[in-house]
Amino acid sequence: MAKPSHRYVCQNCGAVYPKWSGRCDSCGEWNTLVEESVEARPGPVAKAAPGKRVAFVGLQGETAPPPRAATGIAELDRVLGGGLVPASAVLVGGDPGIGKSTLMLQAAATLARAEKRVLYVSGEESVEQVRLRARRLGLADAPLELASAINVRDIAATLEAARDVALVVIDSIQTMWLDGVESAPGTVSQVRAAAFELIRLAKSRGFALVLVGHVTKEGTIAGPRVLEHMVDAVLYFEGDRGHQFRILRAVKNRFGATDEIGVFEMTDRGLAEVANPSALFLAERRGNVAGSAVFAGLEGTRPVLLEVQALLASASGTPRRAVVGWETGRLAMLLAVLEARAGLRLSGLDVYLNVAGGLRVGEPAADLAVAAALASAAADQPTSAGTVYFGEVGLSGEVRQVAQGEARLKEAHKLGFDRACLPRRLARGGARPTAPAALELDEVGHVADLVAAFAAESVRAA
Ligand code: TYD
Ligand code: MG
């Protein structure tokens, strides 16, 4: 039977269909199916060579840890698990304009300055544009080898002949083009084929390969997700455009943990490392203000402390509820719980809630911190400056346990907090996290207790 010469490939997840449809059944995205021609498969090998025996070994044995080339950018190195591993491929994904090229140019130049051979292939920008950026970043003197190219065959031939290369950066994989694949650059077929070729070279030639990839929601260009299984590590660069900080997050790492995030601050001279992110997010916090509570949160799996701010004002007309950085629905629920279960009267008041710093919090664990901020605002009593809060609040007002209590407590301790307000079960019996001894644990079973404590404080102050 003749094979169909065309197929439809979801540009979001890579699922393949014989017919077009409006929605991808695999990932549920709309309008992501694009017609691509079926790649000519290599025919059966003319004379099959006999297979070689595969040697099996035991689990024990000496394996040296992979030698790593530290990029010199500590936040990046940590997310990588200690630096770039030779003969490995890393995908750095993120929204257009988020700072991927800047980050990779900084890393490449730093490595080049450390007398490693680094090749930077830009398919998006001209040599002149990259030079301009390097000058702006103060990196123009780095002995980096720069090229503007998109033809993978040419790049491959060059890399095949190059000696002692430590790092090759491809910016971006979506601009790469491999002849023989009859799809436009940026489609799943092209991106996959180009990445496959480059990764194969990285493995055989022994250099570390960084593929920069744009995340796109429109689905017109293949997202990095179709490459995730091909590479050894996947890092995503994220951040809110209105704010200065950027987060580098490992979602996959064959040579390290995925629970690390790197935090950077955008400056006019490039990305600056933020060694202590909680300190950054808490930098502008003013103690002794009612309505502010510190939430011991998790970003991915890295603990981050954030300030939650609540403001209550008497409403003229229908009370307003305005939220930045948290879910409106969740706030409505929490307000209802505080009113029904803890007797906190907020219905005649405008409620404003803000997660300072611009980070969006998705965790239910923030409930207790929000409740504390609201109770503090209502009682006009500041939370104690050295206290962090975390815990989920249920509909009956009970405070529920959340994941990773230990990591949250450690971070709080590291930043000099001396008290944590947390769910009861977490702090009791066998499941008790090994909290730093200096940290006082204040267990809360019900939000009514929290509200009562602020109210009592208010009476005492009067
Ligand atoms: P760029 O690195 O080009 O983003 P991407 O490669 O992800 O598309 O950065 C986008 C713009 O932001 C660019 O004009 C440079 C600017 N920028 C700074 O000025 N400072 C910084 O620290 C960063 C990261 C970017
Ligand atoms: Mg770029």
Side-chain angles (χ1 to χ4, degrees):
M1 201 183 79
K3 281 215 168 179
S5 61
H6 286 84
R7 58 184 189 171
Y8 296 87
V9 183
C10 171
Q11 303 295 303
N12 185 53
C13 70
V16 179
Y17 301 92
K19 273 204 236 150
W20 190 86
S21 79
R23 183 169 181 267
C24 172
D25 287 336
S26 174
C27 67
E29 289 290 318
W30 288 91
N31 286 327
T32 55
L33 265 55
V34 168
E35 184 177 353
E36 293 187 4
S37 59
V38 177
E39 291 153 52
R41 284 174 187 277
V45 186
K47 197 172 130 271
K52 270 188 269 169
R53 285 193 190 193
V54 177
F56 287 86
V57 296
L59 284 176
Q60 282 185 333
E62 289 300 308
T63 307
R68 292 176 186 269
T71 61
I73 299 178
E75 289 290 301
L76 173 62
D77 286 337
R78 208 196 22 237
V79 175
L80 286 168
L84 290 159
V85 177
S88 76
V90 180
L91 175 67
V92 177
D95 290 332
I98 206 75
K100 300 179 297 298
S101 301
T102 306
L103 176 68
M104 288 330 300
L105 187 63
Q106 283 181 259
T110 316
L111 203 62
R113 273 185 184 155
E115 293 178 358
K116 296 270 204 283
R117 186 164 181 208
V118 179
L119 309 182
Y120 193 105
V121 182
S122 179
E124 260 167 31
E125 290 155 309
S126 65
V127 164
E128 212 27 68
Q129 283 169 318
V130 180
R131 278 185 179 156
L132 212 67
R133 166 176 290 143
R135 225 169 296 147
R136 194 162 47 79
L137 299 176
L139 301 168
D141 63 311
L144 181 84
E145 294 171 60
L146 174 66
S148 179
I150 61 165
N151 188 326
V152 176
R153 262 319 150 227
D154 297 347
I155 297 168
T158 315
L159 294 178
E160 203 72 72
R163 304 203 148 268
D164 301 322
V165 178
L167 168 67
V168 176
V169 178
I170 302 289
D171 186 5
S172 66
I173 187 64
Q174 273 112 349
T175 55
M176 292 297 130
W177 176 77
L178 190 62
D179 55 1
V181 179
E182 289 187 19
S183 313
T187 53
V188 168
S189 305
Q190 275 291 357
V191 163
R192 268 201 194 137
F196 181 80
E197 182 63 17
L198 292 164
I199 293 168
R200 187 188 62 78
L201 273 165
K203 304 276 172 195
S204 66
R205 304 291 300 162
F207 56 81
L209 173 71
V210 171
L211 302 173
V212 174
H214 298 302
V215 176
T216 53
K217 293 194 179 67
E218 297 76 28
T220 46
I221 294 176
R225 273 175 60 187
V226 298
L227 294 178
E228 281 182 358
H229 66 282
M230 296 170 75
V231 295
D232 298 298
V234 179
L235 314 182
Y236 279 107
F237 205 38
E238 310 168 344
D240 183 290
R241 273 172 188 259
H243 284 87
Q244 289 305 90
F245 64 85
R246 295 283 178 268
I247 290 174
L248 187 68
R249 201 191 292 281
V251 298
K252 164 180 175 178
N253 194 350
R254 285 190 183 139
F255 306 109
T258 49
D259 57 356
E260 290 290 3
I261 64 169
V263 181
F264 297 89
E265 197 175 355
M266 263 175 70
T267 71
D268 53 349
R269 303 214 48 189
L271 293 154
E273 299 171 46
V274 176
N276 193 337
S278 298
L280 172 75
F281 296 134
L282 295 180
E284 280 157 70
R285 185 170 66 110
R286 300 181 176 215
N288 240 26
V289 178
S292 153
V294 176
F295 166 49
L298 283 178
E299 258 309 305
T301 43
R302 179 164 174 186
V304 174
L305 304 190
L306 299 164
E307 182 189 3
V308 177
Q309 301 173 322
L311 179 68
L312 306 176
S314 53
S316 49
T318 318
R320 297 189 54 181
R321 270 89 180 95
V323 189
V324 177
W326 210 48
E327 286 166 53
T328 316
R330 192 103 199 150
L331 175 66
M333 190 205 85
L334 197 63
L335 290 173
V337 169
L338 287 172
E339 182 129 14
R341 310 291 183 196
L344 199 64
R345 298 264 161 262
L346 298 166
S347 48
L349 298 171
D350 286 342
V351 178
Y352 301 93
L353 191 80
N354 178 35
V355 177
L359 216 66
R360 240 200 106 70
V361 177
E363 277 192 286
D367 291 353
L368 195 63
V370 176
L374 289 167
S376 154
D380 199 19
Q381 287 302 314
T383 59
S384 90
T387 305
V388 297
Y389 295 84
F390 63 90
E392 184 180 343
V393 174
L395 282 183
S396 57
E398 82 279 15
V399 180
R400 295 160 158 258
Q401 200 177 339
V402 294
Q404 303 257 20
E406 211 163 299
R408 297 173 201 264
L409 293 174
K410 261 194 212 144
E411 180 75 1
H413 177 63
K414 206 170 87 188
L415 287 204
F417 286 82
D418 52 22
R419 195 160 152 269
C421 201
L422 74 172
R424 183 161 282 162
R425 203 157 67 95
L426 189 68
R428 197 198 283 155
R432 187 188 177 109
T434 47
L439 210 62
E440 184 193 329
L441 300 184
D442 182 11
E443 304 167 27
V444 188
H446 197 279
V447 278
D449 303 341
L450 191 76
V451 172
F454 280 105
E457 201 59 44
S458 166
V459 170
R460 202 173 310 146

